[in-house]
Every structure is written in C-alpha cells, then in structure tokens.
Amino acid sequence: MKIGLVRHFKVAKPLPRGIYITPDILNQWFSDYDLADIEYGSTELGEITWSQCYVSDMPRAIKTAEHIYTRNDIIQTDKLRELPAPKYKGKFGLPFILWAVRIRLAPFFNRETRAAVADAKKRIGATLDAIHEQGSENVLIVSHAALMVYMRKELLKRGFTGPSFSTPNNGELYIFEK
C-alpha cells in the first residue's frame, strides 16, 4: 500500500508588508490567506495508479486536488484541515520573521495550540483508520504543511517508510509505503 502526501499549491497571498506587524494585521492576514487563490503548478504523480484522493475541505487544498487528480472520487474532509493559526492580541508590532518564530514555538507555550495539535493528531488517526478500513491500494492525500508533518510521524508509527521533511514543498508528492 502507498500513501502519497501532497501539500496544496502555493497560496497567492504575499506576506504582510512593513517593519512592524501588529497582531490585528497578522490575524487579518491569516484570515485572508485562508480565502486566497492558489498559484497553480504541476505535481508529478509518477506511474502510480491512485485509487482514491482524500483532501482537506479548505479551498486551497480542494483546488490543488482537482488540478492534480483527474478522477471524480475526491473525498473532501474537515479531518485534514490545517491547524488554526494562533490568535494574538495587543498593540505592539513585531517583524514578520519574529511572528513566524513565535508561531513555530506556539505548541510549546500556548495551551490552545497544544489542544489544536492534539485534535489534529486524532483527526489524522481517524483518517488513516478510515483509509485502512476502505482497503484502498494507493491513496493520495492533499493537505497542509503542519498537518503533513504530524501525518508523516503517524505513518512511520504505523510501519510505513517514506521521506523526511521539516516543511513540505508546495505541490510536491511524498510517497509512504508499507
């Protein structure tokens, strides 16, 4: 059995501009990012016949899946949604790079983010259980960066082998095999 993971294509939303980004600007940027269009690209799916495609129900993932997977049996699910961005409050701005570091560290310091990660891991487990129960031979999953990191760990725990990545590339296929 093969499971192919693909991160959605690049989102057509530039990073916030300015030296100091306030929490309000950052929160609005994340809201806009969720609704933004994608920059279509190509994904090499190899010579593998994918029997099914599971996809996050977020627009950027659906558009990617519909572009790369030409069959009609795409299964949209909220179980493959990206982790929600932490909500920040306050009036003081930070350079965007510091916000990025803060967001990466949020699972260690933010209770809501830890809860969101725990929920994501349960959703991933439920999705992989459903795929296993279906008995499909080769399944393509189109999702999001952070979710793919946790999905990779779960696949390895379940005896799959596959490539390593810290942040998956947009539109690239990562194959895990058992």
Side-chain angles (χ1 to χ4, degrees), residues 85-117:
K87 297 290 184 198
Y88 292 103
K89 297 178 183 175
K91 296 181 183 184
F92 297 104
L94 293 173
F96 188 77
I97 189 70
L98 291 181
W99 281 118
V101 170
R102 238 181 126 174
I103 290 165
R104 280 282 222 189
L105 295 175
F108 300 106
F109 301 107
N110 183 299
R111 182 181 6 220
E112 291 84 17
T113 302
R114 279 195 303 274
V117 168

Side-chain angles (χ1 to χ4, degrees), residues 11-158:
V11 175
K13 176 74 181 157
L15 295 175
R17 292 183 182 212
I19 296 172
Y20 294 104
I21 309 300
T22 65
D24 287 343
I25 291 171
L26 183 71
N27 293 334
Q28 184 60 52
W29 182 85
F30 275 114
S31 294
D32 294 345
Y33 180 89
D34 282 343
L35 301 174
D37 204 359
I38 59 172
E39 296 175 9
Y40 287 92
S42 62
T43 300
E44 178 56 49
L45 296 180
E47 299 297 318
I48 300 167
T49 301
W50 300 102
S51 58
Q52 282 186 314
C53 178
Y54 284 76
V55 62
S56 161
D57 66 351
M58 297 183 86
R60 59 188 179 265
I62 294 168
K63 289 176 184 179
T64 301
E66 289 172 344
H67 186 72
I68 66 172
Y69 186 78
T70 56
R71 295 178 46 190
N72 292 331
D73 54 349
I74 294 174
I75 300 165
Q76 296 179 25
T77 176
D78 61 353
K79 291 183 178 6
L80 294 172
R81 273 186 168 220
E82 179 66 290
L83 293 167
K87 297 290 184 198
Y88 292 103
K89 297 178 183 175
K91 296 181 183 184
F92 297 104
L94 293 173
F96 188 77
I97 189 70
L98 291 181
W99 281 118
V101 170
R102 238 181 126 174
I103 290 165
R104 280 282 222 189
L105 295 175
F108 300 106
F109 301 107
N110 183 299
R111 182 181 6 220
E112 291 84 17
T113 302
R114 279 195 303 274
V117 168
D119 176 62
K121 289 178 179 180
K122 286 180 188 172
R123 292 186 283 124
I124 289 166
T127 301
L128 293 176
D129 289 344
I131 288 169
H132 180 73
E133 289 170 13
Q134 293 260 332
S136 298
E137 187 60 30
N138 299 317
V139 177
L140 189 63
I141 299 175
V142 180
S143 192
H144 309 274
L147 208 71
M148 286 175 61
V149 169
Y150 294 113
M151 195 172 312
R152 177 187 175 277
K153 289 178 184 179
E154 182 62 25
L155 287 168
L156 295 176
K157 274 199 245 181
R158 292 175 182 228

